[in-house]
Amino acid sequence: EMAEQRLARDIYSNTQLQEVMTDFWMNHFNVYLHKDEATPYYLVSYERDVIRPLALGKFEDLLEATAHSPAMLLYLDNSSSIGPDSPEAEKANIAAARHPDKKQQAPEGLNENYARELMELHTLGVNGGYTQADVTQVARVLTGWTVDKPQLGGEFKFDESRHEPEAKQVLGQRIKEDGEQEGRELLHMLATRPATAQFISQKLAIRFVG
């Protein structure tokens, strides 16, 4: 149904620039259809409620909307990322210490998939001047950005118990400990970097000229 409605819009829509830009951003902020059972259902909302309404708007608004999208958080595993020093990790370690002979299901731990793609593919580009240390720090900033009951179609949720405490250092800038607001500060930093402007502009030029 998604493929059919896209084809119908491509053929019959009177706002062709809107369709081209929706397609451009769907590709730029790609989410793989067959990631898991929940993804196909979230993709409908992702295209309709996240990408399409902002396709001709400000890049930072679109970046933040995709970062809060369950489709993106599930696809790049940020929904399961847990800070190494977070209350959730500490709780698991205490339980393991109390019952050393009992098999405990360890928490997922820190996941860097979204952090890496956020900088490499969504904003700065592969030559955007970031390091592996920046990737790790971005992943720490975004711990706690998860999805509430994804199998039931839940929405974005910030889980303080999964969030890595203390300040972080990204691209030479200090981000003070501030829960979910850390992520918003990070997204603003990435959206307004000159490397991001160059990377996005080049992609747009290739799409429209090439």
Side-chain angles (χ1 to χ4, degrees):
E1 288 176 349
M2 283 183 67
E4 288 172 0
Q5 68 89 16
R6 183 177 294 185
L7 181 61
R9 288 177 185 273
D10 287 348
I11 296 171
Y12 298 113
S13 174
N14 291 323
T15 54
Q16 285 296 309
L17 180 59
Q18 174 84 31
E19 300 312 313
V20 171
M21 290 307 299
T22 299
D23 182 67
F24 174 84
W25 292 122
M26 279 292 287
N27 180 66
H28 183 77
F29 294 107
N30 176 62
V31 171
Y32 179 51
L33 175 66
H34 301 295
K35 165 71 176 183
D36 54 30
E37 292 178 358
T39 302
Y41 302 97
Y42 276 118
L43 265 178
V44 176
S45 173
Y46 186 63
E47 196 261 11
R48 181 192 64 212
D49 304 324
V50 176
I51 302 294
R52 181 171 290 280
L54 299 170
L56 293 172
K58 293 180 180 178
F59 174 73
E60 185 173 346
D61 293 342
L62 185 54
L63 181 66
E64 185 162 322
T66 57
H68 281 90
S69 167
M72 183 64 72
L73 291 168
L74 289 167
Y75 171 49
L76 292 175
D77 306 307
N78 203 83
S79 58
S80 60
S81 186
I82 298 175
D85 300 313
S86 67
E88 186 74 20
E90 186 180 348
K91 189 168 106 179
N93 292 334
I94 291 172
R98 282 178 178 167
H99 306 284
D101 300 328
K102 189 178 177 183
K103 258 194 173 179
Q104 299 285 339
Q105 186 173 0
E108 295 285 344
L110 190 68
N111 191 297
E112 298 181 352
N113 289 352
Y114 179 54
R116 183 170 287 103
E117 293 223 3
L118 177 63
M119 291 194 284
E120 180 180 331
L121 300 178
H122 296 174
T123 55
L124 303 173
V126 69
N127 298 314
Y130 63 90
T131 65
Q132 173 56 39
D134 290 318
V135 172
T136 301
Q137 289 299 300
V138 167
R140 287 171 179 258
V141 167
L142 293 172
T143 48
W145 287 48
T146 186
V147 181
D148 185 31
K149 300 175 182 175
Q151 297 306 323
L152 298 176
E155 295 299 319
F156 169 83
K157 173 186 176 183
F158 179 72
D159 188 342
E160 187 75 44
S161 69
R162 291 168 167 254
H163 184 64
E164 180 72 2
E166 299 185 358
K168 290 87 176 172
Q169 191 90 1
V170 179
L171 298 168
Q173 294 188 39
R174 184 177 184 272
I175 297 178
K176 68 177 183 179
E177 183 177 351
D178 197 12
E180 183 185 348
Q181 188 58 32
E182 292 176 34
R184 295 180 183 275
E185 184 180 338
L186 168 74
L187 294 173
H188 175 72
M189 180 199 304
L190 294 176
T192 54
R193 298 280 288 195
T196 298
Q198 184 175 348
F199 179 57
I200 300 298
S201 297
Q202 184 177 14
K203 286 193 72 171
L204 285 165
I206 290 170
R207 177 61 183 263
F208 281 93
V209 179

